[in-house]
Structures are given as C-alpha cells and as structure tokens.
Amino acid sequence: MRGYEYFKPKTIEEAIKLMGSIEGAQYIAGGTDVMVMLRQKKIAPRCMISLRNISDLSYIDTNDGLRIGSAATHSAIEENEYIKRRYCALNDATTHLGSRQIRNVATIGGNICNAAPSADTACPLLVLDARAIIVGPKGSRELALDDFFLGPGKTALEKGEIVKEFVMPRFDESTGSAYIKHTRRQAMDLPILGIAARITISVKSGSEVRCKDMFCTIDSISNILSRLKEEGMRCVDARIAMGVVAPRPIRAKKAEAALTGKIISPELFEEIGDIAAGEAQPRDSIRGEAWYRREMIRVLVKRALIKSIDRVIRPDEAIYPERLW
Amino acid sequence: MNNLTIVGKKIPKRDAPLKATGSAVYIQDLKIPGMLHGKILYSKYPHARITGLDTSMAEKLPGVRAVVTASDMPANFRIGVMKDNPPLKTGKVLSIRDEIAAVAAISPEIAEEALSLIKVEYEELPGTFDPLEAMKEGAPLIHEEAKSNILKMPWKLVCGDVEAAKKESAFIVEDTFSTPWVTHCCLGTSGCVAQLDAKNNLTLYSNTQIPSLAQNDYIEALNAFGLKGKRVRIVQSVIGGAFGSKLDTYAYEYIAILLALKTRKPVKIVFSREEEFFATSPRQCTITKISHGCDKEGRLTFREMEMVLDNGAYTSWGATTPSVMMLPISSLYKVPNVKYVAKCVYTNNTYSQAMRGYGNPQATFAIESSLDQLAEKAGIDPYELRLKNANEPGEITPQRFKITSCGMKECIDEVVKRLDWKGKKGKGGNRGVGMASLIHVGGGARVYKSDGCGTIIKMDDFGKVDVFTGASDIGQGSETIIAQIVAEVLGIPIDDVNVINNDTDICPWDVGVHASRTTFVAGNAALGAAKKIKAQILEIAAKLLEEEPASLDIKNGVVFSVKNSEKTIPLGKALRKLHYTLGGNMLMAEYFYDPANENFDKEFKGNLSVSYAYGAHGVEVEVDRETGKVKILNYIAAHDVGKAINPMLLEGQIYGGGLMGLGYALGEKMIYEKGYLKNGNFLDYKMPTVKDIPPVQAVIVETDEKDGPFGAKGIGEPGLVPTAPAIANAIYDAVGVRIKDLPITPEKVLAALREKEGQTHK
Ligand SMILES: Cc1cc2nc3c(=O)[nH]c(=O)nc-3n(C[C@H](O)[C@H](O)[C@H](O)COP(=O)(O)OP(=O)(O)OC[C@H]3O[C@@H](n4cnc5c(N)ncnc54)[C@H](O)[C@@H]3O)c2cc1C
C-alpha cells in the first residue's frame, strides 16, 4: 500500500477546489468502501479528500419531507424516530447494513456514490422517490435517484462533484414502505437480493380495515390478501425496486404500473411478483444462483408489499411484527 | 472429592482480560530487533509447468535482503505425513497454494512489491479436480513418480460379517452423503519468526499446537541444511485459535528458516487473511456411501461405509482422519457388524489438515442421517431407535474400545425432555425436531507411540507455585484448568499458581493439543505433580510442627493439623525455613502421565482412548417453504463430560463447538472451481456471526470417569460433531426433505421442496 496525502476541508467549496487542483485525488467519507478498494489495489489515489469534517453535511431534517445530508451515518439514520415511522424502508436498510461498527462510520452518501448493485440504501431511496442534490465545480444540480445509477460503481456524478443531500417528499398516513434484504447471515452480509416497496392504499369510503388482527396471526399471506380484497382495499400508488438483479439497482416499473389503481388480491400479488421477476436479469454467482434469485423476487416482492400495507394499518406496531415478512 | 473449592467452579479464563484489552502479544505483535519480513509467491495456476523463473528484478529492489527459490532448499527435502511436499516447488506446480519463491525485506510492503517483480513463466496443464475422476484408470497422475492418484494409505476396518448380517436384517437403508471443505477461521492468522544464533541454533517463535513434535521437524530440516546437532527452541506467542490447523509444520515455516539462514537476521512471516483462506489446510471434503440395517425390533445389525476423500496435491494430517472416523463408524451405538473402507485421492486442489473433530463430523453426518432413514423405514421413532441401541458402560465395542463411563442415554433423555420431543415430533406446520448423538475420544488418544504429557512444579519462597506444563493453551483455556487442578490439590488460592506453557526450553515434553486430550492428559500430569509436591510439603511441615504428615493438610496456603487446629504454619514460612537452613533444600516435583490406552493394531483395532466422551444434540427448526430458509428455534446440546472442572469454560466449548457445527450445517463451504478458491474472504465464506447464534442450552451430564482428573473427560471437539445431522433430521421432520450434501443452503432446501412437489425448480 503506497502512502497518500490526506486533506480535511471544512466546506464543500474547499473540497471541490482541492479536487480540481490535485491529480488522482479521491473523496472519502466513512471510508468503508474506499479502504477496501485500496487494499484490493483497485484504486491507488495519491491523495484523499475527506468529507467528514465538512460541517453541515450530516444533518437529518424532517421538517418538510425528509432531507438527509450525504455524510449522515447509517447509525444516525437508523436511530431517527421519524424515519422509523414514516420512511420504514430506509430504516429497514440501515438497521441491516453491515454491523454496528460499520454503521457508526459508513455514510449514506458513500453507499449511494459507491453504486454497488447490492447497496442496501439504494432500493429504499428509489421507492421513496429520493432526489440527489449535487454540488460541483459548475454549480449545483438535482437528479432523481433513478437517473443517478449508471452501472456497477458508475454514477452520473461528473468530475469533482459531491452529493450534498438526498431529498424525499412527505408521505401521508396511507403510505407504507419496506425493504427486505435476503441474506445468508443475520449481519455482515451483502444481499443475495434486496427488494423495496412503497404503497399508498385506500379503503372503501374511508372505513377502518377490519381484518387488522390477521396481520399478527400466522395466517397465510394469501388469506390476508383475500380479506383485503373483500374489504376493497385499493392500491393508489406504488413503487418497487430491486437490488442485485441487474448491473444497478432498478425499479420494477411494469410491476408498479400493473399494481397502481387495482384492488388488492392474492391473484394480483402473484401477478405482480411474476412481472417484477420478468423485469430482472439475475445472474449465477457464488453468492446465489439465478433461478433462486428469480424465485425470491416473486416471494419477496409480495412480502415487501404486504409488510408495507401492514405498516399503514398498524402504524403503532410499525417496526416489525414477528412474521415471515 | 466432595469438598472441592476450586475444581468444579465457574472461574473466568485467566487470559480473558489480556485478550479483551488488547494487551495479549500474538505473533502479529511480536518484534525482534533487526527483524525482516518475509512474503511468499504462490502459483498462479493449479497445475502448470514452470518454464522460467527470474528473480533478478526483485533482488535489485532497495530494501530486499534475500530472494529464495527451490534451488536454495536442500534437494529432496520434503515435508508432511507422506513426505510428498517440497517447501518450495520447482518443475511442476500442483495447486494454487504451491510456494514458488519467497522474499525477505526490511518491510512487509517492500517484500510484497518484490514479489510482483519476480517473473514466472508457466505452461498451463490440464488439472484434475474431482477425486472420483482422479481415481479412474488412466487419469493423469498428480505425482508422476507415484503409480496412482490413490494415496498409499489404505483405510479398512472389518468387524464381524456385514454380508451375513445384511441377509438377516429386516430393514436396510442405503444412501450417499457428502461434505465440503471448511476452514478453521482462526482470528489469529498463521505466522512465525525464525531466528538463528551465531552457532545456528534455531529459535522459532510460533503459534504451533505441537511444540515438541515441531521441534523434531525443524531439527530434521536443519539436518537437511547440513546443520547437524543444532538446538531448536520453540516459543509460542499467544495463539489466536488453532482448531487443528496448527497440528503440522508448514512450508512457510521452513521458508522463514531458510530466509533467516540466508540473511542472518530474524525473519517473520505472517499470513494475510487472504493467505489464511487459500494457503492453509481445511477440513477434508468427503463422499460417503453408507448402508445400515436393523432387525424387526430395531436393533442395529450392521453398518457399512465407503468413503472417498479429496487429498489435494500434498499430504498432511487430513489424510489420516479416517482413523478417527472409525470411532463413530464402529462404535456409535451398538452395532455388531461393521465394514469401512476409505480412499484418499490426490487432486490439484488444496490439501487438508486436522480440524476440530478430526473426521468425526463427516462420518457422524452420514451415520446419524442414515439412522433417521432407517428409523422411518422400520417404523420406529428415531429417538427410540437411538435409545435402544445406545452405548452403555462396560461395553467392549467391535473395534475393541472399552467403554468405561458412558452417559449417552442420559444425554438422549435430556434432549428429548428439553426439546419436548414427543410433543413436537411430526407435528407439521413447517416446524420439526431432530437429534443426533456422538462418541469421541475422551481420555487421550494413542495416535503416536506415546500419548504423554509432562509437568514440573516448583515452589517459591512465598508459598506460590510455578507449573511448567507441556500442554499448550490455544484459546481453549487449559492454562486455567491446570491452575485449578494444582490449586485444588495444594490448597492454595488459584492466583498463587503461575502456569508456564509456551517455551520448549523450560516446559516438559507433550505430544500436542489434539484429540480433546489436554484436560485429561495434561490435567492428570498436573494432578500427579501436585500430589507429589504436596507430599513433600507435608513432610517438611510435619517436622516443623512436630506432627505426622498424615495428619496435616493445606488450606488457603496454610498447613494445619487436622487433629490440633492450633498447629499451623503458612506455606511461605515453611519454605523459607527449608531454603534458609544450613544444608537446606528446595521443592520441586515432576510427573509424566501417559494414559494406558493402546495404538491401533494392523486391523485398526485397539482401545485408542482410556475413556470416551458422549453427547446428544437436539434441535427444533422452522423452514420457510417459500425461501428455503431454515431457522433454529431451540438447540439442546447435552454432553457427558465426566466432571466439569470449570463449567464456564466447558459451556464455552459447547457453545463454540455448536456454533462451528451450525456453520458447517447451514452455511460454510470453501468454493473451489477448477482448483481456484472463489470465496476466500469473510464476506463470501459464510461463517455465522454473533447475530446468527440460536438459543443454545448446554446441558452438562456428569458420569465421574474413574481415570480422569477429578473425574473429567475431554470436551474440546465433541460440541460440533452431531450438529449437522441433528439439523438435517429436524428439517426432514419439518418439511419432509432430506439434504444429503452440506451445507444445507436455502437453495438446496427449496429445490428439494419443489422436487418433492413434482415441480422443477429452474
Ligand atoms: C465489513 C463491511 C460490511 C459492509 N456491509 C454492507 C452492507 O451490508 N450493505 C451495504 O450496502 N454496504 C455494506 N458495506 C459497504 C459500505 O459500508 C457502504 O457502502 C457504506 O455506506 C459506504 O459509505 P462510506 O461513507 O464508508 O463511503 P466511502 O468508502 O467513504 O466512499 C465510497 C465512495 O463514495 C464516494 N463518496 C462518498 N461520499 C460522497 C459524496 N458525498 N459525494 C460524492 N462521492 C462520495 C467516495 O469517493 C467513494 O468512491 C460494508 C462494508 C464493509 C467494510
């Protein structure tokens, strides 16, 4: 490992200026991806520009929707009570990322900018309609996250650009979300498959969902869905995102379209799972076989959706009923 | 025995504070003045001819002190059990871990850079990676001088008449099971520092688990270098786990010695995590054909097993694991007729080594899975089948093991009770229960001509003792156990016992940490030495107190008369009187314990151990039918340990073993594709994490082994032996699919479920 210079700018502008003036420089936030790449000799920067000393880059602002500074750590996000209730998918991802030690230093900005197909916060941010606010030598711009990822390790960032924050809209009480990370281990593992969902629902003439209690039984998903159908629950809006099934985290847009506006039913959910599986191009690797990944898309899309619905109708038990989903 | 004050108590491991605070000195931490750093260049291909080797660029790099290749090693110098492994290879490379060259430099970074400057030209050769292919007539030979790829180490055990028993059996099952390579995952990676003095006497700082035997290996190596009659001293640093991985000496150690000879400086070689994965020797993978039979009542009639082991390109102790596999094969449950044949086959894969259980887990996976199949065929509850055939005290098994204490039935009963077996077996709902038992050596194992261990005890001026033991502490806690035994016998506080166990210059001889033998053998040696020195102390105190030695005893470091409680003398005072007297003396005692066990005879029969350890594990699982994931709801691990000298450490062994077994059952596998390791890192090698630990109940069954120190038997290895089959059996109970190939991944479970439902999965 060769030595490198280390800079600790105090402002974004200073960081961008440094980047422009030094050949072969590399931004570093928590360093949990950068240091690994360095050891694997995938990168050999002459200089590192740390983003950790920039004040005002690690905030979590919940005043109007959600704004998360790119240097916010996964631990900070995981512990935020508002995110826990209203942006469950993101909470799901941050609580299952790496280990406590990793989450204490690793940042959301690093996770997204590293652009691994398996990045855990990517699918949640996709379904939560996040936009990246980017600052660079030519000024600032805004990009929908769906336009941010270009391929494995490739983003729309141009030379010297820094992601300042991620901005998400406000979702009302009829919206729930979830992220399911399918792994072999309970910690320190990358997903074989990651599925995020967000759904906004409406029930006939504003009445309460009567089959609420079914959600805390061991009743099968299809039974619950049948009851929801009887009660006329409708999907008003939906997002589905999938990780590790393509060169970048992707949205299952056909599945989203097929779900939107429909009355929820077991048949519909089966169909949505199939459509989503059809939108993926999973591959065989030592981490998982393609056929298995495709099968799991069918299963986990269903589970992520019903988990999201669960969170709408039982918000007070929001974080994790002991169920398979 | 009844009034024990230190033995039988939960006493924390002595080295725990050192390790928890980071002040323990591991081989990684060790620095010796003038020390250089060595790095090894490995082969790029699993099978190739080296057509060119140019080290000149590396030699020129500033900071490089030596570059060595095969031509620097004594010709014909080979290491390993079959002496088939040259520490540096020339001509042909046979696996990706083949060492071709090595560098010593003033820093690890420079050494690393120098490696990249060594030019090797290869002519790639087609490899042989499947042992079944390698066994075939006409298969390319891995070692050309050998006539066949099948190792000349034929394993065959025949007891009774299997063919006749088959004819008389009411029920017979037959199947094939397989297990993967798994690795020890020691947190402390391999390493050593080799240092030679002006007269070429060698000191090797090492984390070996066989100091006395390693000493012998290095003396042989020095002889090969033409350095006859030299002394070898082994100093062990704190060992960050071994689990069998450090039971042999390895190429990197001989390379460090060679580099030290060349440079006249101490040379350190420490493995990176990547090297630890691909360049150390894993547990061997096996393919096992088994058939089992019983009569109408469910009494076992025979067991027949045939096994193929991938030996890899060279031979270490892994090739001898069939000797321990014979233990469960012949003697787990009462089975009168047994036949077992095993073949180790050379391939271009990695070569294997001892790992906790030494073959027993592979054999027990096949036996205990097959036993459940037999129970189903015979229409008997698997628990009843086990109980009916369980081993008992006083039994002599077909392999001529003399069973002394045996708590197998108690262990099975504990599992059944605590798991609510009868309430839960066969109840469906995707939940199920399963169990499996184990037998292992528990009173040493005579695999060498000796199974001995020496202990020396000396007393200081203050009544404190130094205990010099041959036994190494590789993390299992033997230092604490030995201190407890000595303190108990001498009637002194445990903190007054200092254990020295890491230097062959001062510690007595021992055959090493293996076969779960240390508490039993080293414990007995410490017990013997402590008793001897106690007798000497009482003799001296008797004179000072004007009493008979027989009426004296020691408590809290004070000698007292049992008849007259007024008569006391603190140990320190008695010793000072002894030292500061004209014509005085000192107190020291030594004891060598070698258990009365037997080597196997030519037919692999004989009483290998003076006692045997038993246990049974039971598990309740829930299977997710849609994903194939298996969740452990409850885990019972009952072990007959004779006597728990330290229940805290003992439970630690059971938890640790159980967790290692869990990894073996559900996740761990070294993925080799055409000779290359594909998952040599902790991300893709699925060792369980702390969050994967299920609720485990360790149940200690005490049977008071007559030959054990305070009644104890071994427990180091048993904890992981029955885990995999217990889980496989529980999965079968839950969803009716039997996975016969470890690890039991969600993919395999889901595919099996689909197949059962008549669907294809792809
Ligand atoms: C043991 C371990 C376990 C892990 N487990 C997981 C896991 O379970 N799931 C998962 O998704 N990941 C995991 N990771 C990967 C890693 O921790 C995450 O991707 C993490 O969020 C990266 O954040 P960081 O701050 O450390 O990024 P860094 O390593 O500092 O940076 C990563 C990349 O992003 C760039 N970058 C960082 N911030 C910005 C910014 N504001 N603007 C522009 N570019 C920027 C850097 O230049 C670099 O290219 C794990 C890593 C380790 C070492």
Side-chain angles (χ1 to χ4, degrees), chain A residues 1-2 39-41 95-96 103 181-190 192 218 221 270 285-289 291-293 295-296 298-300 302-303 322 324-325, chain B residues 109 112-113 272-274 622 624-629 631 666-667 671 673 678-679 681-689 691-692 745-748 750-751 754 761-762:
Chain A
M1 209 187 288
R2 284 193 181 280
R39 259 202 95 230
Q40 292 175 340
K41 303 200 174 93
T95 48
H96 290 94
R103 299 199 290 272
K181 175 177 183 175
H182 196 60
T183 53
R184 289 223 203 289
R185 280 191 296 230
Q186 301 287 324
M188 294 296 267
D189 214 352
L190 293 181
I192 299 169
I218 56 158
I221 293 189
E270 286 300 323
S285 82
I286 55 158
R287 293 188 188 151
E289 294 172 48
W291 74 267
Y292 184 74
R293 285 201 171 108
E295 278 307 295
M296 288 309 99
R298 292 198 176 92
V299 175
L300 298 184
K302 259 191 313 192
R303 288 186 186 179
E322 242 317 293
L324 276 180
W325 60 67
Chain B
E109 291 77 17
E112 187 84 54
E113 196 182 336
S272 66
R273 179 56 64 189
E274 288 78 3
E622 179 169 294
D624 184 334
R625 274 182 178 272
E626 286 188 314
T627 63
K629 275 200 182 187
K631 186 173 170 189
L666 296 176
I671 304 171
E673 277 174 14
K678 294 292 178 181
N679 62 338
N681 58 65
F682 279 127
L683 170 57
D684 290 318
Y685 183 82
K686 303 294 181 188
M687 185 195 192
T689 70
K691 285 218 159 180
D692 298 291
T745 60
E747 277 97 330
K748 286 181 199 166
L750 192 67
R754 292 285 160 85
H761 59 269
K762 305 224 175 174

Side-chain angles (χ1 to χ4, degrees), chain B residues 155-265:
Chain B
W155 299 104
K156 185 171 182 183
L157 175 71
V158 179
C159 310
D161 186 343
V162 163
E163 288 313 314
K166 276 185 185 173
K167 291 194 189 99
E168 282 153 29
S169 299
F171 304 100
I172 294 179
V173 290
E174 194 180 313
D175 219 323
T176 301
F177 295 86
S178 53
T179 63
W181 284 289
V182 291
T183 181
H184 313 76
C185 297
C186 301
L187 281 188
T189 58
S190 306
C192 68
V193 183
Q195 182 178 29
L196 292 146
D197 69 11
K199 293 180 176 164
N200 282 329
N201 295 310
L202 171 71
T203 299
L204 203 91
Y205 299 88
S206 136
N207 44 20
T208 181
Q209 58 189 104
I210 46 156
S212 303
L213 301 186
Q215 204 178 14
N216 189 53
D217 283 0
Y218 303 136
I219 288 172
E220 266 180 33
L222 291 179
N223 282 344
F225 280 111
L227 303 170
K228 300 239 177 344
K230 300 298 168 193
R231 299 188 64 253
V232 170
R233 175 186 180 197
I234 311 268
V235 181
Q236 289 150 296
S237 47
V238 174
I239 299 170
F243 306 105
S245 64
K246 293 157 181 111
L247 201 72
D248 203 350
T249 52
Y250 292 98
Y252 76 87
E253 295 161 320
Y254 298 95
I255 291 170
I257 295 170
L258 173 62
L259 289 169
L261 273 168
K262 282 253 159 185
T263 59
R264 307 306 309 172
K265 298 268 188 195

Side-chain angles (χ1 to χ4, degrees), chain B residues 696-715:
Chain B
V696 177
Q697 278 182 56
V699 185
I700 297 173
V701 171
E702 294 193 323
T703 50
D704 194 13
E705 168 55 40
K706 67 177 175 33
D707 289 317
F710 294 96
K713 304 196 267 193
I715 184 63

Side-chain angles (χ1 to χ4, degrees), chain A residues 42-291:
Chain A
K42 287 185 184 154
I43 55 170
R46 255 188 263 150
C47 135
M48 297 257 207
I49 302 169
S50 170
L51 304 177
R52 296 177 71 171
N53 298 280
I54 298 176
S55 58
D56 221 29
L57 205 61
S58 51
Y59 51 85
I60 298 176
D61 178 354
T62 57
N63 280 326
D64 179 26
L66 179 62
R67 306 177 84 88
I68 301 181
S70 66
T73 63
H74 297 296
S75 284
I77 297 168
E78 172 185 1
E79 280 151 26
N80 186 288
E81 287 302 321
Y82 189 70
I83 295 175
K84 239 181 233 177
R85 289 182 72 90
R86 306 281 352 128
Y87 298 85
C88 297
L90 186 56
N91 180 272
D92 288 342
T94 49
T95 48
H96 290 94
L97 192 145
S99 64
R100 171 59 68 187
Q101 294 91 323
I102 292 293
R103 299 199 290 272
N104 282 344
V105 292
T107 66
I108 188 165
N111 195 226
I112 296 301
C113 295
N114 192 54
S118 60
D120 273 316
T121 61
C123 291
L125 290 189
L126 281 173
V127 301
L128 295 168
D129 287 351
R131 302 177 71 76
I133 310 296
I134 299 165
V135 187
K138 295 182 206 147
S140 66
R141 61 185 178 122
E142 205 181 307
L143 207 58
L145 207 68
D146 204 13
D147 300 324
F148 186 82
F149 300 114
L150 302 181
K154 290 209 180 68
T155 68
L157 285 179
E158 285 172 18
K159 197 175 170 343
E161 281 188 326
I162 290 177
V163 172
K164 180 170 172 287
E165 60 177 358
F166 300 99
V167 182
M168 281 153 266
R170 218 183 112 78
F171 297 106
D172 68 16
E173 248 106 84
S174 58
T175 300
S177 67
Y179 173 66
I180 298 177
K181 175 177 183 175
H182 196 60
T183 53
R184 289 223 203 289
R185 280 191 296 230
Q186 301 287 324
M188 294 296 267
D189 214 352
L190 293 181
I192 299 169
L193 174 71
I195 299 285
R198 170 170 68 77
I199 190 165
T200 304
I201 50 172
S202 73
V203 189
K204 243 189 280 173
S205 63
S207 66
E208 273 257 312
V209 175
R210 275 162 290 140
C211 65
K212 221 176 181 174
D213 291 343
M214 288 182 81
F215 281 81
C216 49
T217 64
I218 56 158
D219 225 324
S220 73
I221 293 189
S222 67
N223 278 353
I224 299 175
L225 289 170
S226 301
R227 285 295 300 274
L228 294 177
K229 180 181 175 186
E230 283 167 28
E231 299 196 21
M233 181 179 284
R234 188 182 297 277
C235 166
V236 177
D237 190 20
R239 294 282 183 284
I240 296 166
M242 312 188 279
V244 213
V245 301
R248 46 153 286 184
I250 57 166
R251 283 209 6 225
K253 290 185 181 164
K254 286 181 195 154
E256 290 172 2
L259 182 56
T260 307
K262 303 265 171 59
I263 296 280
I264 281 161
S265 71
E267 304 76 35
L268 177 66
F269 269 42
E270 286 300 323
E271 190 192 328
I272 298 303
D274 285 344
I275 297 173
E279 290 182 79
Q281 309 117 38
R283 290 196 316 184
D284 278 329
S285 82
I286 55 158
R287 293 188 188 151
E289 294 172 48
W291 74 267

Side-chain angles (χ1 to χ4, degrees), chain B residues 443-446 450-453 517 520-521 524 593-598 608-610:
Chain B
R446 189 166 291 269
S450 168
D451 191 16
C453 174
R517 69 186 281 278
F520 191 93
V521 178
N524 266 326
Y593 177 75
D594 189 10
N597 46 18
E598 301 166 3
L608 188 64
S609 182
V610 292

Side-chain angles (χ1 to χ4, degrees), chain B residues 422-474:
Chain B
K422 285 163 191 162
K424 294 199 156 142
K425 174 97 179 75
K427 291 285 146 57
N430 300 328
R431 292 189 171 195
V433 289
M435 72 159 75
S437 308
L438 81 101
I439 179 176
H440 200 68
V441 288
R446 189 166 291 269
V447 292
Y448 305 102
K449 284 279 169 241
S450 168
D451 191 16
C453 174
T455 302
I456 299 167
I457 296 188
K458 78 176 171 58
M459 306 281 312
D460 71 8
D461 230 19
F462 317 99
K464 296 191 161 93
V465 303
D466 294 310
V467 180
F468 302 85
T469 173
S472 307
D473 195 325
I474 59 172

Side-chain angles (χ1 to χ4, degrees), chain B residues 115-395:
Chain B
L115 289 187
S116 68
L117 298 175
I118 298 174
K119 291 201 193 97
V120 190
E121 277 158 38
Y122 302 90
E123 177 197 323
E124 224 189 316
L125 300 168
T128 306
F129 307 108
D130 177 354
L132 299 179
E133 288 298 316
M135 280 167 76
K136 286 185 184 153
E137 197 84 28
L141 292 175
I142 307 296
H143 291 273
E144 275 155 16
E145 62 282 8
K147 297 248 152 49
S148 153
N149 287 327
I150 299 172
L151 202 67
K152 284 189 196 64
M153 211 188 257
W155 299 104
K156 185 171 182 183
L157 175 71
V158 179
C159 310
D161 186 343
V162 163
E163 288 313 314
K166 276 185 185 173
K167 291 194 189 99
E168 282 153 29
S169 299
F171 304 100
I172 294 179
V173 290
E174 194 180 313
D175 219 323
T176 301
F177 295 86
S178 53
T179 63
W181 284 289
V182 291
T183 181
H184 313 76
C185 297
C186 301
L187 281 188
T189 58
S190 306
C192 68
V193 183
Q195 182 178 29
L196 292 146
D197 69 11
K199 293 180 176 164
N200 282 329
N201 295 310
L202 171 71
T203 299
L204 203 91
Y205 299 88
S206 136
N207 44 20
T208 181
Q209 58 189 104
I210 46 156
S212 303
L213 301 186
Q215 204 178 14
N216 189 53
D217 283 0
Y218 303 136
I219 288 172
E220 266 180 33
L222 291 179
N223 282 344
F225 280 111
L227 303 170
K228 300 239 177 344
K230 300 298 168 193
R231 299 188 64 253
V232 170
R233 175 186 180 197
I234 311 268
V235 181
Q236 289 150 296
S237 47
V238 174
I239 299 170
F243 306 105
S245 64
K246 293 157 181 111
L247 201 72
D248 203 350
T249 52
Y250 292 98
Y252 76 87
E253 295 161 320
Y254 298 95
I255 291 170
I257 295 170
L258 173 62
L259 289 169
L261 273 168
K262 282 253 159 185
T263 59
R264 307 306 309 172
K265 298 268 188 195
V267 175
K268 179 181 198 169
I269 294 183
V270 169
F271 276 13
S272 66
R273 179 56 64 189
E274 288 78 3
E275 276 176 299
E276 189 72 13
F277 268 105
F278 80 80
T280 67
S281 295
R283 186 193 292 289
Q284 45 293 124
C285 53
T286 58
I287 304 165
T288 306
K289 241 165 81 184
I290 178 168
S291 72
H292 242 146
C294 68
D295 65 16
K296 274 205 208 69
E297 280 77 46
R299 270 184 297 267
L300 294 177
T301 46
F302 77 93
R303 179 179 295 154
E304 184 176 20
M305 287 168 80
E306 214 177 289
M307 208 180 269
V308 175
L309 293 87
D310 187 331
N311 197 60
Y314 304 100
T315 313
S316 181
W317 293 114
T320 70
T321 52
S323 64
V324 174
M325 296 185 183
M326 288 174 179
L327 185 75
I329 290 170
S330 72
S331 305
L332 179 62
Y333 306 108
K334 289 180 190 153
V335 47
N337 304 292
V338 175
K339 190 172 168 201
Y340 172 57
V341 182
K343 292 192 174 89
C344 303
V345 187
Y346 280 125
T347 64
N348 292 114
N349 291 318
T350 188
Y351 67 94
S352 298
Q353 174 55 285
M355 182 169 169
R356 201 180 201 170
Y358 211 93
N360 196 337
Q362 294 98 307
T364 300
F365 175 58
I367 295 168
E368 284 286 12
S369 297
S370 163
L371 211 63
D372 258 37
Q373 295 176 316
L374 186 63
E376 186 179 25
K377 195 157 188 185
I380 304 173
D381 186 307
Y383 140 69
E384 272 159 29
L385 184 79
R386 287 184 170 83
L387 207 58
K388 184 165 274 171
N389 293 288
N391 299 106
E392 286 173 302
E395 189 188 333

